[in-house]
Amino acid sequence: MKPLPWALALCVHLALAVPHDHHQHRHPARALETAHVIHTEIVTVTASNAVVWVDQHGNVLSTDFPGFIPTYHPTTTTTTAPSSSTTSESTTSETIDDEPSSVIESSTWPEPTETYTSDEPPVTDLEPSSAEPTSAAPTTTSVPGGNKDVGNMGGLGVCYELIDGAVKCKSSSVLNSEFAFLKSQGFSRVRVYDIGCPLGDVAAAASQQGLSLIAGLNTVGNVAGDLAKLVGMLSNYWSVVDTIVIGNEVVNNNPGLAGAVVAGLSTARSVLSAAGFNGHIVTVDTFIAHAGHPELCAASDYCAVNAYAFFDANTAAADAGNFVLNTAIGMVQKIANGKQIVVTESGWPWQGQSNGKAIPSRENQQTAIASLRAAFAGSSIPLFLFQAYDASYKAPGHLGVEPYFGIYGS
């Protein structure tokens, strides 16, 4: 789905289907971020300043409510995970309370007067709507930072779980062995998640194999404090670290946190510069979140985008590369103002429930991965495949696929 270069500003009464984590994969937060069930909520909105995005056929693609932030009831989930201060078999329990629940505060939303649903396939080539535009499309705003020269971003990357099947941080020997294997498969870059495992061991293994590393924070609730921990683990390995991530899909989870993410990036630039880091600093989010919040890309050194063809019910495995490169990234290019885009996650599950034409299987996973690699081989946009190995600690989640994106099994 691509937005038009304008929107229709309407006074509307409509029901919105709000997918939570529709394109998101949860990763360890501190030691381990809790896997969770993904909901689709029907939310009723009445607003005088709604901005409705349509395609050339008049089909509604999305709706924004500038200046209006809904109130959610947060839920709390608990899992067992390794402590961030030890690599022994001791465990700690951590709660995640920043996820919106499937219950919306009733006082926030008036009763609906009509609903809207659509089974239309994604639109890849949009023409101007016949409706008269009354509002301009979002444009990149001026924000501090985000102007560092990206340089050579080439090379195929892969996302990597630091948690093993026993829900413990992988040992140095396992890191060295698996990184060596990944190097033999043609990967030159590895992306890992959060600060719950000893990142110094990760960076040392990456250095030994000649791999560059993307590391960082999943959340933005305590950027300065979390970065202090990260710097303590990585400051001797800056030459290996290509990028530090400040927030993974934070805005996809909660659009109201876009300002906090931008502020977190500013804090990170100050902290990391003082610590001697001269690499890239970005926030990672879904292509939909980027399209709706150009400030994320503007505040980052490059636009770091997660995009999954599997979650589009009209896309089969063989078309995964085309969907990600032309549909998903096509949306981001409209707001990137020429800035480099990097696909920081894209993959296909080998097990779980079918999603229309998107069917999980080993054969389809191989087909989708081949399609992605072929599509991006001739592109200037770097690609990270999600992911090297299964995440067996995760709950099944939406369509029962969350643990099963491992390209090489568990």
Side-chain angles (χ1 to χ4, degrees), residues 294-325:
E295 65 270 27
L296 302 179
C297 183
S300 299
D301 288 330
Y302 56 82
C303 304
V305 181
N306 292 349
Y308 291 86
F310 176 79
F311 294 106
D312 181 84
N314 297 294
T315 300
D319 298 318
N322 177 64
F323 175 88
V324 174
L325 181 61

PDB file of all heavy atoms in Angstrom, residues 294-325:
ATOM      1  N   PRO A 294       7.654  11.015   9.187  1.00  0.00           N
ATOM      2  CA  PRO A 294       8.906  11.301   8.487  1.00  0.00           C
ATOM      3  C   PRO A 294      10.024  11.775   9.412  1.00  0.00           C
ATOM      4  O   PRO A 294      11.201  11.691   9.046  1.00  0.00           O
ATOM      5  CB  PRO A 294       8.510  12.403   7.493  1.00  0.00           C
ATOM      6  CG  PRO A 294       7.034  12.264   7.331  1.00  0.00           C
ATOM      7  CD  PRO A 294       6.524  11.800   8.652  1.00  0.00           C
ATOM      8  N   GLU A 295       9.673  12.269  10.600  1.00  0.00           N
ATOM      9  CA  GLU A 295      10.701  12.756  11.517  1.00  0.00           C
ATOM     10  C   GLU A 295      11.617  11.634  11.992  1.00  0.00           C
ATOM     11  O   GLU A 295      12.768  11.885  12.398  1.00  0.00           O
ATOM     12  CB  GLU A 295      10.055  13.456  12.723  1.00  0.00           C
ATOM     13  CG  GLU A 295       9.213  12.588  13.633  1.00  0.00           C
ATOM     14  CD  GLU A 295       7.752  12.525  13.236  1.00  0.00           C
ATOM     15  OE1 GLU A 295       7.458  12.702  12.033  1.00  0.00           O
ATOM     16  OE2 GLU A 295       6.905  12.286  14.123  1.00  0.00           O
ATOM     17  N   LEU A 296      11.164  10.387  11.954  1.00  0.00           N
ATOM     18  CA  LEU A 296      12.016   9.265  12.358  1.00  0.00           C
ATOM     19  C   LEU A 296      13.189   9.112  11.412  1.00  0.00           C
ATOM     20  O   LEU A 296      14.335   8.925  11.827  1.00  0.00           O
ATOM     21  CB  LEU A 296      11.198   7.970  12.401  1.00  0.00           C
ATOM     22  CG  LEU A 296       9.972   7.942  13.310  1.00  0.00           C
ATOM     23  CD1 LEU A 296       9.268   6.600  13.209  1.00  0.00           C
ATOM     24  CD2 LEU A 296      10.361   8.249  14.746  1.00  0.00           C
ATOM     25  N   CYS A 297      12.892   9.168  10.133  1.00  0.00           N
ATOM     26  CA  CYS A 297      13.943   9.075   9.118  1.00  0.00           C
ATOM     27  C   CYS A 297      14.829  10.316   9.148  1.00  0.00           C
ATOM     28  O   CYS A 297      16.049  10.222   9.058  1.00  0.00           O
ATOM     29  CB  CYS A 297      13.300   8.898   7.749  1.00  0.00           C
ATOM     30  SG  CYS A 297      14.465   8.682   6.390  1.00  0.00           S
ATOM     31  N   ALA A 298      14.202  11.480   9.321  1.00  0.00           N
ATOM     32  CA  ALA A 298      14.961  12.734   9.307  1.00  0.00           C
ATOM     33  C   ALA A 298      15.964  12.794  10.449  1.00  0.00           C
ATOM     34  O   ALA A 298      17.056  13.355  10.300  1.00  0.00           O
ATOM     35  CB  ALA A 298      13.995  13.918   9.382  1.00  0.00           C
ATOM     36  N   ALA A 299      15.615  12.215  11.588  1.00  0.00           N
ATOM     37  CA  ALA A 299      16.489  12.276  12.760  1.00  0.00           C
ATOM     38  C   ALA A 299      17.524  11.172  12.786  1.00  0.00           C
ATOM     39  O   ALA A 299      18.399  11.158  13.660  1.00  0.00           O
ATOM     40  CB  ALA A 299      15.640  12.218  14.034  1.00  0.00           C
ATOM     41  N   SER A 300      17.448  10.239  11.842  1.00  0.00           N
ATOM     42  CA  SER A 300      18.379   9.111  11.774  1.00  0.00           C
ATOM     43  C   SER A 300      19.417   9.340  10.676  1.00  0.00           C
ATOM     44  O   SER A 300      19.177  10.096   9.732  1.00  0.00           O
ATOM     45  CB  SER A 300      17.614   7.815  11.483  1.00  0.00           C
ATOM     46  OG  SER A 300      16.671   7.520  12.505  1.00  0.00           O
ATOM     47  N   ASP A 301      20.549   8.659  10.780  1.00  0.00           N
ATOM     48  CA  ASP A 301      21.576   8.782   9.751  1.00  0.00           C
ATOM     49  C   ASP A 301      21.162   8.091   8.457  1.00  0.00           C
ATOM     50  O   ASP A 301      21.639   8.442   7.381  1.00  0.00           O
ATOM     51  CB  ASP A 301      22.901   8.210  10.255  1.00  0.00           C
ATOM     52  CG  ASP A 301      23.536   9.098  11.301  1.00  0.00           C
ATOM     53  OD1 ASP A 301      23.326  10.326  11.253  1.00  0.00           O
ATOM     54  OD2 ASP A 301      24.247   8.585  12.176  1.00  0.00           O
ATOM     55  N   TYR A 302      20.328   7.082   8.562  1.00  0.00           N
ATOM     56  CA  TYR A 302      19.674   6.488   7.390  1.00  0.00           C
ATOM     57  C   TYR A 302      18.309   5.988   7.842  1.00  0.00           C
ATOM     58  O   TYR A 302      18.030   5.866   9.036  1.00  0.00           O
ATOM     59  CB  TYR A 302      20.506   5.367   6.758  1.00  0.00           C
ATOM     60  CG  TYR A 302      20.894   4.220   7.664  1.00  0.00           C
ATOM     61  CD1 TYR A 302      20.022   3.170   7.935  1.00  0.00           C
ATOM     62  CD2 TYR A 302      22.165   4.163   8.223  1.00  0.00           C
ATOM     63  CE1 TYR A 302      20.387   2.112   8.741  1.00  0.00           C
ATOM     64  CE2 TYR A 302      22.549   3.112   9.053  1.00  0.00           C
ATOM     65  CZ  TYR A 302      21.659   2.076   9.295  1.00  0.00           C
ATOM     66  OH  TYR A 302      22.028   1.022  10.110  1.00  0.00           O
ATOM     67  N   CYS A 303      17.435   5.732   6.887  1.00  0.00           N
ATOM     68  CA  CYS A 303      16.092   5.266   7.207  1.00  0.00           C
ATOM     69  C   CYS A 303      16.140   3.751   7.406  1.00  0.00           C
ATOM     70  O   CYS A 303      16.314   3.004   6.440  1.00  0.00           O
ATOM     71  CB  CYS A 303      15.116   5.608   6.084  1.00  0.00           C
ATOM     72  SG  CYS A 303      15.054   7.367   5.683  1.00  0.00           S
ATOM     73  N   ALA A 304      15.995   3.316   8.651  1.00  0.00           N
ATOM     74  CA  ALA A 304      16.108   1.896   9.001  1.00  0.00           C
ATOM     75  C   ALA A 304      14.704   1.299   9.087  1.00  0.00           C
ATOM     76  O   ALA A 304      13.934   1.623   9.984  1.00  0.00           O
ATOM     77  CB  ALA A 304      16.844   1.746  10.322  1.00  0.00           C
ATOM     78  N   VAL A 305      14.387   0.401   8.156  1.00  0.00           N
ATOM     79  CA  VAL A 305      13.000  -0.005   7.920  1.00  0.00           C
ATOM     80  C   VAL A 305      12.840  -1.522   8.055  1.00  0.00           C
ATOM     81  O   VAL A 305      13.584  -2.292   7.436  1.00  0.00           O
ATOM     82  CB  VAL A 305      12.559   0.422   6.506  1.00  0.00           C
ATOM     83  CG1 VAL A 305      11.107   0.037   6.258  1.00  0.00           C
ATOM     84  CG2 VAL A 305      12.771   1.922   6.313  1.00  0.00           C
ATOM     85  N   ASN A 306      11.848  -1.945   8.833  1.00  0.00           N
ATOM     86  CA  ASN A 306      11.446  -3.348   8.891  1.00  0.00           C
ATOM     87  C   ASN A 306      10.243  -3.555   7.976  1.00  0.00           C
ATOM     88  O   ASN A 306       9.281  -2.778   8.035  1.00  0.00           O
ATOM     89  CB  ASN A 306      11.069  -3.754  10.318  1.00  0.00           C
ATOM     90  CG  ASN A 306      12.257  -3.766  11.266  1.00  0.00           C
ATOM     91  OD1 ASN A 306      13.411  -3.664  10.851  1.00  0.00           O
ATOM     92  ND2 ASN A 306      11.976  -3.894  12.548  1.00  0.00           N
ATOM     93  N   ALA A 307      10.282  -4.584   7.139  1.00  0.00           N
ATOM     94  CA  ALA A 307       9.194  -4.811   6.176  1.00  0.00           C
ATOM     95  C   ALA A 307       9.064  -6.301   5.885  1.00  0.00           C
ATOM     96  O   ALA A 307      10.044  -6.953   5.519  1.00  0.00           O
ATOM     97  CB  ALA A 307       9.471  -4.046   4.875  1.00  0.00           C
ATOM     98  N   TYR A 308       7.845  -6.818   6.040  1.00  0.00           N
ATOM     99  CA  TYR A 308       7.573  -8.242   5.846  1.00  0.00           C
ATOM    100  C   TYR A 308       6.439  -8.440   4.853  1.00  0.00           C
ATOM    101  O   TYR A 308       5.303  -8.029   5.092  1.00  0.00           O
ATOM    102  CB  TYR A 308       7.187  -8.892   7.178  1.00  0.00           C
ATOM    103  CG  TYR A 308       8.329  -8.984   8.153  1.00  0.00           C
ATOM    104  CD1 TYR A 308       8.627  -7.924   8.993  1.00  0.00           C
ATOM    105  CD2 TYR A 308       9.122 -10.124   8.219  1.00  0.00           C
ATOM    106  CE1 TYR A 308       9.676  -7.998   9.883  1.00  0.00           C
ATOM    107  CE2 TYR A 308      10.173 -10.208   9.105  1.00  0.00           C
ATOM    108  CZ  TYR A 308      10.447  -9.144   9.935  1.00  0.00           C
ATOM    109  OH  TYR A 308      11.502  -9.213  10.808  1.00  0.00           O
ATOM    110  N   ALA A 309       6.740  -9.132   3.752  1.00  0.00           N
ATOM    111  CA  ALA A 309       5.701  -9.443   2.775  1.00  0.00           C
ATOM    112  C   ALA A 309       4.707 -10.449   3.334  1.00  0.00           C
ATOM    113  O   ALA A 309       3.537 -10.459   2.930  1.00  0.00           O
ATOM    114  CB  ALA A 309       6.336  -9.985   1.498  1.00  0.00           C
ATOM    115  N   PHE A 310       5.130 -11.302   4.263  1.00  0.00           N
ATOM    116  CA  PHE A 310       4.253 -12.351   4.793  1.00  0.00           C
ATOM    117  C   PHE A 310       2.986 -11.770   5.405  1.00  0.00           C
ATOM    118  O   PHE A 310       1.923 -12.393   5.353  1.00  0.00           O
ATOM    119  CB  PHE A 310       4.988 -13.191   5.835  1.00  0.00           C
ATOM    120  CG  PHE A 310       4.117 -14.227   6.483  1.00  0.00           C
ATOM    121  CD1 PHE A 310       3.833 -15.419   5.828  1.00  0.00           C
ATOM    122  CD2 PHE A 310       3.534 -14.005   7.719  1.00  0.00           C
ATOM    123  CE1 PHE A 310       2.994 -16.368   6.408  1.00  0.00           C
ATOM    124  CE2 PHE A 310       2.694 -14.946   8.307  1.00  0.00           C
ATOM    125  CZ  PHE A 310       2.428 -16.132   7.651  1.00  0.00           C
ATOM    126  N   PHE A 311       3.063 -10.587   5.993  1.00  0.00           N
ATOM    127  CA  PHE A 311       1.910 -10.020   6.669  1.00  0.00           C
ATOM    128  C   PHE A 311       0.967  -9.288   5.713  1.00  0.00           C
ATOM    129  O   PHE A 311      -0.010  -8.681   6.153  1.00  0.00           O
ATOM    130  CB  PHE A 311       2.358  -9.113   7.809  1.00  0.00           C
ATOM    131  CG  PHE A 311       3.043  -9.879   8.910  1.00  0.00           C
ATOM    132  CD1 PHE A 311       4.406  -9.813   9.073  1.00  0.00           C
ATOM    133  CD2 PHE A 311       2.316 -10.701   9.743  1.00  0.00           C
ATOM    134  CE1 PHE A 311       5.039 -10.536  10.065  1.00  0.00           C
ATOM    135  CE2 PHE A 311       2.928 -11.433  10.744  1.00  0.00           C
ATOM    136  CZ  PHE A 311       4.303 -11.350  10.906  1.00  0.00           C
ATOM    137  N   ASP A 312       1.253  -9.356   4.420  1.00  0.00           N
ATOM    138  CA  ASP A 312       0.309  -8.885   3.412  1.00  0.00           C
ATOM    139  C   ASP A 312      -0.356 -10.116   2.810  1.00  0.00           C
ATOM    140  O   ASP A 312       0.292 -10.916   2.130  1.00  0.00           O
ATOM    141  CB  ASP A 312       1.015  -8.078   2.321  1.00  0.00           C
ATOM    142  CG  ASP A 312       0.027  -7.582   1.292  1.00  0.00           C
ATOM    143  OD1 ASP A 312      -0.584  -6.533   1.524  1.00  0.00           O
ATOM    144  OD2 ASP A 312      -0.135  -8.261   0.258  1.00  0.00           O
ATOM    145  N   ALA A 313      -1.650 -10.272   3.062  1.00  0.00           N
ATOM    146  CA  ALA A 313      -2.357 -11.491   2.675  1.00  0.00           C
ATOM    147  C   ALA A 313      -2.448 -11.688   1.171  1.00  0.00           C
ATOM    148  O   ALA A 313      -2.791 -12.777   0.708  1.00  0.00           O
ATOM    149  CB  ALA A 313      -3.771 -11.481   3.273  1.00  0.00           C
ATOM    150  N   ASN A 314      -2.131 -10.672   0.397  1.00  0.00           N
ATOM    151  CA  ASN A 314      -2.216 -10.766  -1.059  1.00  0.00           C
ATOM    152  C   ASN A 314      -0.868 -11.067  -1.721  1.00  0.00           C
ATOM    153  O   ASN A 314      -0.767 -11.045  -2.942  1.00  0.00           O
ATOM    154  CB  ASN A 314      -2.769  -9.450  -1.619  1.00  0.00           C
ATOM    155  CG  ASN A 314      -4.175  -9.174  -1.133  1.00  0.00           C
ATOM    156  OD1 ASN A 314      -5.101  -9.893  -1.473  1.00  0.00           O
ATOM    157  ND2 ASN A 314      -4.326  -8.149  -0.310  1.00  0.00           N
ATOM    158  N   THR A 315       0.153 -11.335  -0.907  1.00  0.00           N
ATOM    159  CA  THR A 315       1.492 -11.554  -1.456  1.00  0.00           C
ATOM    160  C   THR A 315       1.959 -12.974  -1.172  1.00  0.00           C
ATOM    161  O   THR A 315       2.060 -13.386  -0.007  1.00  0.00           O
ATOM    162  CB  THR A 315       2.491 -10.553  -0.860  1.00  0.00           C
ATOM    163  OG1 THR A 315       2.059  -9.220  -1.172  1.00  0.00           O
ATOM    164  CG2 THR A 315       3.879 -10.761  -1.436  1.00  0.00           C
ATOM    165  N   ALA A 316       2.262 -13.718  -2.218  1.00  0.00           N
ATOM    166  CA  ALA A 316       2.807 -15.066  -2.084  1.00  0.00           C
ATOM    167  C   ALA A 316       4.321 -14.992  -1.907  1.00  0.00           C
ATOM    168  O   ALA A 316       4.947 -13.956  -2.152  1.00  0.00           O
ATOM    169  CB  ALA A 316       2.454 -15.899  -3.315  1.00  0.00           C
ATOM    170  N   ALA A 317       4.909 -16.092  -1.507  1.00  0.00           N
ATOM    171  CA  ALA A 317       6.346 -16.124  -1.205  1.00  0.00           C
ATOM    172  C   ALA A 317       7.191 -15.675  -2.391  1.00  0.00           C
ATOM    173  O   ALA A 317       8.190 -14.964  -2.223  1.00  0.00           O
ATOM    174  CB  ALA A 317       6.745 -17.534  -0.779  1.00  0.00           C
ATOM    175  N   ALA A 318       6.810 -16.072  -3.590  1.00  0.00           N
ATOM    176  CA  ALA A 318       7.601 -15.731  -4.769  1.00  0.00           C
ATOM    177  C   ALA A 318       7.632 -14.234  -5.039  1.00  0.00           C
ATOM    178  O   ALA A 318       8.524 -13.747  -5.750  1.00  0.00           O
ATOM    179  CB  ALA A 318       7.056 -16.461  -5.992  1.00  0.00           C
ATOM    180  N   ASP A 319       6.687 -13.490  -4.475  1.00  0.00           N
ATOM    181  CA  ASP A 319       6.612 -12.047  -4.708  1.00  0.00           C
ATOM    182  C   ASP A 319       7.110 -11.227  -3.514  1.00  0.00           C
ATOM    183  O   ASP A 319       6.911 -10.015  -3.463  1.00  0.00           O
ATOM    184  CB  ASP A 319       5.165 -11.654  -5.013  1.00  0.00           C
ATOM    185  CG  ASP A 319       4.644 -12.323  -6.271  1.00  0.00           C
ATOM    186  OD1 ASP A 319       5.401 -12.392  -7.248  1.00  0.00           O
ATOM    187  OD2 ASP A 319       3.490 -12.789  -6.262  1.00  0.00           O
ATOM    188  N   ALA A 320       7.753 -11.893  -2.562  1.00  0.00           N
ATOM    189  CA  ALA A 320       8.203 -11.205  -1.351  1.00  0.00           C
ATOM    190  C   ALA A 320       9.160 -10.063  -1.667  1.00  0.00           C
ATOM    191  O   ALA A 320       9.051  -8.963  -1.118  1.00  0.00           O
ATOM    192  CB  ALA A 320       8.858 -12.196  -0.393  1.00  0.00           C
ATOM    193  N   GLY A 321      10.108 -10.312  -2.551  1.00  0.00           N
ATOM    194  CA  GLY A 321      11.082  -9.276  -2.883  1.00  0.00           C
ATOM    195  C   GLY A 321      10.446  -8.066  -3.530  1.00  0.00           C
ATOM    196  O   GLY A 321      10.775  -6.922  -3.192  1.00  0.00           O
ATOM    197  N   ASN A 322       9.528  -8.300  -4.455  1.00  0.00           N
ATOM    198  CA  ASN A 322       8.846  -7.197  -5.118  1.00  0.00           C
ATOM    199  C   ASN A 322       8.027  -6.373  -4.130  1.00  0.00           C
ATOM    200  O   ASN A 322       8.030  -5.139  -4.180  1.00  0.00           O
ATOM    201  CB  ASN A 322       7.939  -7.739  -6.224  1.00  0.00           C
ATOM    202  CG  ASN A 322       7.158  -6.637  -6.903  1.00  0.00           C
ATOM    203  OD1 ASN A 322       7.708  -5.742  -7.539  1.00  0.00           O
ATOM    204  ND2 ASN A 322       5.833  -6.689  -6.762  1.00  0.00           N
ATOM    205  N   PHE A 323       7.333  -7.049  -3.203  1.00  0.00           N
ATOM    206  CA  PHE A 323       6.517  -6.326  -2.231  1.00  0.00           C
ATOM    207  C   PHE A 323       7.382  -5.427  -1.356  1.00  0.00           C
ATOM    208  O   PHE A 323       7.088  -4.247  -1.155  1.00  0.00           O
ATOM    209  CB  PHE A 323       5.737  -7.305  -1.350  1.00  0.00           C
ATOM    210  CG  PHE A 323       4.958  -6.628  -0.250  1.00  0.00           C
ATOM    211  CD1 PHE A 323       3.665  -6.179  -0.473  1.00  0.00           C
ATOM    212  CD2 PHE A 323       5.527  -6.409   0.997  1.00  0.00           C
ATOM    213  CE1 PHE A 323       2.950  -5.538   0.523  1.00  0.00           C
ATOM    214  CE2 PHE A 323       4.829  -5.776   2.008  1.00  0.00           C
ATOM    215  CZ  PHE A 323       3.535  -5.334   1.766  1.00  0.00           C
ATOM    216  N   VAL A 324       8.453  -5.986  -0.820  1.00  0.00           N
ATOM    217  CA  VAL A 324       9.297  -5.212   0.102  1.00  0.00           C
ATOM    218  C   VAL A 324       9.992  -4.065  -0.620  1.00  0.00           C
ATOM    219  O   VAL A 324       9.975  -2.919  -0.158  1.00  0.00           O
ATOM    220  CB  VAL A 324      10.317  -6.123   0.804  1.00  0.00           C
ATOM    221  CG1 VAL A 324      11.296  -5.291   1.645  1.00  0.00           C
ATOM    222  CG2 VAL A 324       9.603  -7.130   1.694  1.00  0.00           C
ATOM    223  N   LEU A 325      10.578  -4.346  -1.778  1.00  0.00           N
ATOM    224  CA  LEU A 325      11.354  -3.323  -2.483  1.00  0.00           C
ATOM    225  C   LEU A 325      10.469  -2.253  -3.100  1.00  0.00           C
ATOM    226  O   LEU A 325      10.775  -1.056  -2.996  1.00  0.00           O
ATOM    227  CB  LEU A 325      12.224  -3.969  -3.563  1.00  0.00           C
ATOM    228  CG  LEU A 325      13.116  -3.027  -4.368  1.00  0.00           C
ATOM    229  CD1 LEU A 325      14.103  -2.306  -3.452  1.00  0.00           C
ATOM    230  CD2 LEU A 325      13.856  -3.783  -5.461  1.00  0.00           C
TER     231      LEU A 325
END
